[in-house]
Amino acid sequence: MSVNIVITQSRSNSRASSLRRDGSISERLVLLPAPHYPPIPSGSDDGDAAESRQVTLKVLGMVCAACSASIEKAVKRLPGIVNASVAVLQNRAQVVYHPEVVQEEAIREAIEDAGFEASIIEDFGVMETTALCRMRIKGMTCTSCSGSIEAILKRLEGVKKAVVALATEEAEVHYNPNVVNHEELMAAVDDAGFEVELISAGEERNKVQLKLEGVNSQEGIKLIELSLQSLWGVKSVDMSPTGEKVVVFYDPDLTGPRNFIEIVEQSGSGDIQYRATLCTQPGHGGPDRRDEIDRYWKFFLWSCVFTVPVFFLSMVFMYIPKVMHGLETKVVNNLDVGQLLRWILSTPVQFVIGWRFYVGAYNSLRHGSANMDVLIALGTNAAYFYSVYSIMRAATTHNFKGTDFFETSAMLISFILLGKYLEVLAKGKTSEAIAKLMDLTPDTAILLTVNEEGDIVEEREISSQLVQRNDLIKVQPGSKVPTDGLVKWGQSHVNESMITGEARPILKREGDKVIGGTMNENGVLHVRATHVGSETALSQIVRLVEAAQMAKAPVQKFADRISKYFVPLVVLMSLVTGVAWFAAGRTHSYPKSWIPSAMDEFELALQFGISVLVIACPCALGLATPTAVMVATGKGAQQGVLIKGGNALESAHKVKCVVFDKTGTLTTGKPLVVDTKLFENIALRNFYRIVAAAEANSEHPLAKAVVLYVKTLGEERSNERSLETQNFQAIPGEGVHCIVQDKEVYIGNRKLMCEQGIEISEDVQEYLDETEQLARTGVLVAFEKKIVGLISISDPVKPEAARVVSLLKSMGIRSIMVTGDNWGTAKAIGQEVGIETVKAECSPGRKAEEVKKLQLEHKLGVAMVGDGINDSPALVAADVGMAIGAGTDIAIEAADIVLMRSNLEDVITAIHLSRRTFFRIRLNYVWALGYNVLGIPIAAGVLFPSTGFRLPPWVAGAAMAASSVSVVCSSLWLKRYKKPKQLRATSESQLAI
């Protein structure tokens, strides 16, 4: 197997990605967008390279690097795949394959099985524009509703992909704006009978929408439009015809919303004054459910106003002789007062308060699906209209005495409304984690205005939403940092635990980065804003968690498959139950004594049929997975662990092997020069002047450690003029080569010296071996192809590394180290932290190969933990890629899980949280299926012949409502999640220190 890895993104490009349309996280944490990652070839012995072909596919639904990683994994697991590369921003996948082993259709299906929409592009030159629309949809009750909305949207011409999430009540639609617009998408959802609200449409970055007041003439509209267009940095202005709103596209480096508001307000004169305010989009982090909660509570209270009297008339007053006598007074023929009162009181409940169930059932059936509203409407209507038939017969005949079930329909609706109220109340708590993150941003900020000399001339309080890039912000003690930035003046400790999970306050001084939403504990800071609005770390975290909550975990497919057939099957079971009991009664297959005194065979059968209808609950099945994923991803974010979707969460709980990179992962990533050994007669000063001149051109961490060490040798030396370097060449994985003072200089490892024919004497070899046994890296220095010195560099092991490896072992998880460093240092580090299996001197491609070997040979769920660009291929290849938060942008984007604190203990937290989550998901399915598997037979009367136990329809309705509530409450239990005891004890001891 041959592996060729080509890394196309440089360090500068990586940092430049922080200014692209999807933002960055303070240059430490870039989550979106995903760059083009180096492809990881997957060799095949099934054909020759000459027989391979390439296919290009259009892939829709990708939102971040986790998506591209999952697609690459899915494709590369197919036999006959030579190479696969996915570009998120272009919505393209290129796959090289052997046609005699695998077909293009199989590749396309593999991508669709991963949860994305794929189509083969015949003519790659034809490119289609794709826009994204996000909508809030209210009124969904179960997965049948979300499934029907998805189907409706997908049927629209121009729609490429539609995903509807029941738990978050959101829809994401990828569409061609040249064919369909977001208004038509919203109209389709509205026509389906659901309340819809636009969250965003098209490209939202570097765009702001302002609400205007006082603009009531065409002259005013034109004046404001021209004023905004003339502002430096404004790209385009889209003014509404009525002048109520204006959308401005701009360059955030040059201007921002504060300038737009000031320009609008300055455009007025005399009696004509204009005002502008930011338009707030519907809230992120899940819907604001307060209105929905209030609505259900009011419905329930009004329902009780009518249902409670019906209950007393049917089940209480009948045992009070005097009252019962009055209720049995005849009105017309056999129609008595009690029946008439129950009819009058139950009718508003059935047709006014319960109208929403009719609407939901109608809209569902109109689009060829069936949801929970269908079951409720059928059950309550059967009880109500049979009761109407019964009292009509009683009113028109002298000898008919039937039983009415008005209390059944009224109580059913009341209990279901109570259940929906409790369910919405509980669901509102599933997104509290995101809401709390969003609330971290302060409402206001203190803007400082400085003159040309740098003196502060003005302080004023502004809305934090109006902070622009390069603004100078004053952060007082005890207040929150309003946006990401750099400290320009002052010193203080900042508590970042709410963002990163880091327990201790961190000292911040001039030049340090601060994150928006963190707490300034003491001292005044002046901060220069570097990332604002949706670019901030907090916004990126919220967006990532929201995307994770929208993505469906593979296990959710189980519930989606069941929901398609659930309601029709329940209706059929209800009919069979009713017919069977009626037929058995008419044929005298059971004793007449089984029939209650006030009923006949038909009424008994009707009650059994209604009970089966209303006890079945598809809603609980649909909520089992997404509510748990919502709570878990939010809880993970609070713990400093960002999980990119349900797929990553599901894969993490299967992990049986963790592969660690060494430098920056098991070690601190801050190497230090600890010793120098010279093998030739040369002054240490001159030796390091030449070495520093050569290493100053290298980006390698070891080179930076050498340069930093030279600066600490003495101020007079660091100020000397640097030597000129010529013909500099960095040799990946080996070292550097250049000319300094007419000397040919080689600096690097043993492999470099051997390849260049430089002899390593026994003394040098002995000292190098001793250095590596001390878990240090020996850097050899050769002048004119003769080794003159060895620099010993130590990269300290993280204090928690050994403890983490031990805890993973206790969890039944194997730990392996794969590093590009030399064998001696690697083995010493492995021995220090307790890792027995060590792979050293591995190239990036070799790291990915080692991960694949573990997956194929041992059938293990493999997690890769790394922090560098050279780790990104292995992060993509692993079942779960975990990136250290302080690592490079590419590594973070390639990973499925980001450990924001750069603490290895969070590896355990991520795996432990995923295991707890999937235990909770399984328990949710037990709840949901248990209600239906046990409840339906009991409602059908299987216990009635032996025990005489019969489940009244209103009790069955209460059980149905309780099933959804119990599933959501079960998911909410994850909010109580705590790290394993060993980690909590460590954290407490650190805080004590």
Side-chain angles (χ1 to χ4, degrees), residues 233-306:
V234 172
K235 297 178 179 179
S236 65
V237 177
D238 184 10
M239 178 76 77
S240 67
T242 60
E244 294 179 353
K245 291 182 180 179
V246 60
V247 179
V248 184
F249 296 85
Y250 64 98
D251 183 345
D253 284 321
L254 303 176
T255 187
R258 189 174 71 252
N259 297 137
F260 307 151
I261 292 175
E262 291 174 353
I263 288 294
V264 171
E265 293 179 347
Q266 291 170 10
S267 298
S269 61
D271 296 333
I272 302 176
Q273 296 295 325
Y274 303 131
R275 286 184 54 80
T277 54
L278 282 174
C279 285
T280 56
Q281 298 290 351
H284 294 281
D288 185 353
R289 300 184 185 271
R290 285 174 293 184
D291 291 341
E292 191 177 8
I293 290 170
D294 291 341
R295 185 167 63 251
Y296 273 114
W297 180 244
K298 289 176 182 176
F299 278 148
F300 172 67
L301 290 180
W302 276 109
S303 178
C304 287
V305 169
F306 298 98

Side-chain angles (χ1 to χ4, degrees), residues 805-817:
V805 172
S806 176
L807 287 174
L808 287 172
K809 186 176 182 180
S810 68
M811 295 168 67
I813 299 174
R814 179 185 176 193
S815 296
I816 295 174
M817 182 171 69

Side-chain angles (χ1 to χ4, degrees), residues 339 342-344 346-352 354-355 357-358 374-394 400 402-410 412-413 602-603 606-607 610 613:
Q339 290 176 318
R342 288 193 292 271
W343 185 19
I344 293 171
S346 62
T347 299
V349 179
Q350 183 70 34
F351 296 108
V352 179
W355 181 249
F357 300 117
Y358 286 96
V374 173
L375 297 179
I376 297 170
L378 284 174
T380 56
N381 278 329
Y384 179 85
F385 284 107
Y386 175 77
S387 301
V388 172
Y389 163 77
S390 177
I391 64 171
M392 288 298 181
R393 284 285 307 275
F400 179 83
T403 303
D404 66 83
F405 301 110
F406 287 119
E407 80 283 353
T408 296
S409 65
L412 263 176
I413 291 174
F602 176 77
E603 292 168 345
L606 181 65
Q607 279 214 346
I610 293 174
L613 269 180

Side-chain angles (χ1 to χ4, degrees), residues 640-710:
V641 177
L642 298 184
I643 303 170
K644 298 181 181 178
N647 200 359
L649 196 64
E650 182 166 347
S651 298
H653 93 283
K654 302 175 183 176
V655 167
K656 293 297 180 183
C657 176
V658 177
V659 178
F660 290 97
D661 174 46
K662 181 183 77 69
T663 306
T665 303
L666 289 173
T667 63
T668 60
K670 298 177 181 178
L672 300 171
V673 175
V674 293
D675 193 15
T676 307
K677 182 69 173 178
L678 299 179
F679 303 104
E680 295 291 330
N681 188 19
I682 183 174
L684 184 65
R685 173 183 177 181
N686 293 333
F687 170 79
Y688 267 116
R689 284 192 69 202
I690 296 173
V691 171
E695 294 284 47
N697 297 283
S698 175
E699 290 290 324
H700 197 280
L702 297 183
K704 292 182 178 180
V706 172
V707 174
L708 181 63
Y709 177 71
V710 173

Side-chain angles (χ1 to χ4, degrees), residues 619-630:
C619 189
L621 277 173
L623 293 171
T625 299
T627 52
V629 170
M630 283 183 68

Side-chain angles (χ1 to χ4, degrees), residues 258 445-451 455-462 470-475 489 524-528:
R258 189 174 71 252
I446 299 176
L447 177 66
L448 300 179
T449 304
V450 296
N451 56 23
D455 298 326
I456 298 172
V457 295
E458 183 187 6
E459 289 186 14
R460 62 185 175 114
E461 191 173 78
I462 63 171
N470 297 321
D471 279 347
L472 189 62
I473 304 298
K474 179 180 180 180
V475 186
W489 178 86
V524 177
L525 294 176
H526 291 178
V527 176
R528 178 76 66 187

Side-chain angles (χ1 to χ4, degrees), residues 69-78 110-111 114:
S70 64
I71 292 171
E72 285 190 10
K73 291 176 188 176
V75 172
K76 289 174 182 175
R77 286 170 182 156
L78 294 174
I111 296 175

